[in-house]
């Protein structure tokens, strides 16, 4: 997914004079040819994500469309106050593009993990959040973000599904049956495997914000399971509001609130949090039957 981001953003810099890129050192080498061509629109501020966000806010106020890039914990967690003030309070738009997701950086320890990034952005106004489940979904999301001036967060991960669903902005039904199970981004393949012989409806989205409330109301019939690749319960409010006034039960599965204080790989952490197929199957079956 990261390679797709570099290629697409490089193309946007060449095609669209409004596009700017602000880096916190990460991927600077990959963008060096673009920096030589556009030194006024490709800026590397060093390992200073707070400054990166402030610079992006200023560029946005001049009419540019800034893209910011770093690891998720540095881009969102570390720079949260600047996101709140230099972007949100100023009503300035930008595209935040992260790597690392919840635990891709497990080998580097908790400093490089951010299971709470989407929940943090939920405290702020007006954010669109994309969580692509496949690298072939990334380019179109980046290009769509270049066509407006809203605030967008694109969350890239190592884990991905076996195929792309570029039209995954709204809930897309991939399996029809009984109670609804919603899979966000790279959670689709584990959900499909976990429910392969179960009588459930499986729907997919790569855009959890704004949440597809209309689609959820149309598909949910009393029970819904939501599986997300970040903190469990992150979308509980959105589901409750979408189904307000209807009797319903909801199960929210995601990264656990207890920290896994071991290193390993992203797959090890997925198993530890019950987000592989085997770990998902038991709570889904116990909840629905």
């Amino acid at each position: 997914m990261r390679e797709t981001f570099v290629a697409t953003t490089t193309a946007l810099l060449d095609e669209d004079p409004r596009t700017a890129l602000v880096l916190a050192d990460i991927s600077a080498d990959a963008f060096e040819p673009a920096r030589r061509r556009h030194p006024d629109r490709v800026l590397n501020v060093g390992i200073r994500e707070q400054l990166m966000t402030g610079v992006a806010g200023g560029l946005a106020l001049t009419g540019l469309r800034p893209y910011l890039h770093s690891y998720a914990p540095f881009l969102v967690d570390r720079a949260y106050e600047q996101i709140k003030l230099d972007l949100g309070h100023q009503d300035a738009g930008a595209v935040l593009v992260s790597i690392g997701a919840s635990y891709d950086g497990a080998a580097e320890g908790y400093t490089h993990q951010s299971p709470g990034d989407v929940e943090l952005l939920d405290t702020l106004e007006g954010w669109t959040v994309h969580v692509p489940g496949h690298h072939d979904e990334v380019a179109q999301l980046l290009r769509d973000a270049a066509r407006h001036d809203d605030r967008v967060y694109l969350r890239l991960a190592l884990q991905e599904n076996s195929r792309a669903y570029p039209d995954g902005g709204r809930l897309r039904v991939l399996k029809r049956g009984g109670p609804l199970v919603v899979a966000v981004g790279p959670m689709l393949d584990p959900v499909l495997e976990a429910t392969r012989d179960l009588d459930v409806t499986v729907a997919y989205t790569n855009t959890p914000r704004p949440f597809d409330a209309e689609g959820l109301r149309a598909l949910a019939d009393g029970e819904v399971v939501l599986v997300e690749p970040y903190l469990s319960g992150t979308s509980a409010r959105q589901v409750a509001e979408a189904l307000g006034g209807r009797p319903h039960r909801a199960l929210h599965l995601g990264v656990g609130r207890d920290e896994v204080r071991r290193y390993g790989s992203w797959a090890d952490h997925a198993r530890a949090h019950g987000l592989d197929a085997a770990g998902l199957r038991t709570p889904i079956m116990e909840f629905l039957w």
Side-chain angles (χ1 to χ4, degrees):
M1 291 190 187
R2 185 177 183 177
E3 292 76 12
T4 304
F5 162 71
V6 171
T8 305
T9 310
T10 298
L12 284 169
L13 284 162
D14 292 336
E15 298 165 6
D16 185 355
R18 283 203 335 134
T19 300
L21 176 65
V22 192
L23 299 169
D25 213 36
I26 187 173
S27 300
D29 291 345
F31 284 105
E32 182 57 22
R35 188 197 65 79
R36 292 197 194 101
R37 293 193 299 275
H38 311 289
D40 55 334
R41 291 190 286 122
V42 180
L43 309 174
N44 179 11
V45 301
I47 307 176
R48 294 178 289 180
E49 281 81 2
Q50 295 97 327
L51 173 62
M52 175 180 69
T53 307
V55 169
L59 292 175
L61 293 175
T62 70
L64 293 175
R65 183 60 165 156
Y67 286 67
L68 293 70
H69 180 51
S70 188
Y71 273 87
F74 311 145
L75 181 66
V76 178
D77 304 38
R78 180 181 292 176
Y80 172 76
E81 184 175 11
Q82 285 69 38
I83 292 172
K84 181 175 76 172
L85 299 177
D86 297 345
L87 295 178
H89 183 64
Q90 298 293 335
D91 199 19
V95 185
L96 278 60
V97 183
S98 75
I99 60 169
S102 291
Y103 37 64
D104 285 356
E108 284 79 24
Y110 204 55
T111 57
H112 283 61
Q113 300 174 39
S114 184
D117 51 352
V118 176
E119 191 166 65
L120 270 175
L121 290 180
D122 267 350
T123 67
L124 304 176
E125 174 191 21
W127 280 90
T128 294
V129 177
H130 299 300
V131 184
H134 189 277
H135 62 271
D136 284 341
E137 297 172 17
V138 173
Q140 191 58 53
L141 294 172
L142 286 166
R143 288 187 169 276
D144 288 346
R147 299 190 180 105
H148 56 79
D149 291 311
D150 296 341
R151 291 180 286 281
V152 175
Y153 178 44
L154 184 62
R155 189 182 203 258
L156 305 183
L158 293 176
Q159 183 179 4
E160 61 178 333
N161 302 315
S162 57
R163 59 163 293 185
Y165 295 95
D167 57 346
R170 297 177 66 86
L171 291 182
R172 170 176 174 155
V173 175
L174 299 178
K175 174 183 176 181
R176 289 199 177 272
L180 175 65
V181 182
V182 176
V184 176
M187 291 293 95
L188 177 61
D189 275 8
V191 165
L192 288 173
E193 175 64 19
T195 63
R196 64 189 183 280
D197 58 347
L198 302 181
D199 181 22
V200 296
T201 295
V202 176
Y204 170 73
T205 183
N206 62 20
T207 305
R209 301 292 183 275
F211 194 83
D212 183 7
E214 181 181 354
L216 186 69
R217 287 193 296 271
L219 294 171
D221 186 20
E223 296 168 320
V224 59
V225 178
L226 190 65
V227 185
E228 302 177 281
Y230 32 80
L231 280 182
S232 61
T234 294
S235 294
R237 176 176 62 84
Q238 285 75 15
V239 170
E241 290 177 354
L243 300 179
R246 287 190 190 181
H248 68 277
R249 297 191 308 136
L251 173 64
H252 295 272
L253 300 175
V255 179
R257 302 274 165 167
D258 293 334
E259 180 183 341
V260 176
R261 289 180 170 83
R262 295 187 178 183
Y263 293 89
S265 67
W266 70 260
D268 295 324
H269 281 244
R271 282 191 294 272
H273 289 288
L275 291 179
D276 60 347
L280 291 170
R281 183 176 176 86
T282 297
I284 290 173
M285 290 185 65
E286 290 178 348
F287 178 74
L288 295 178
W289 290 283

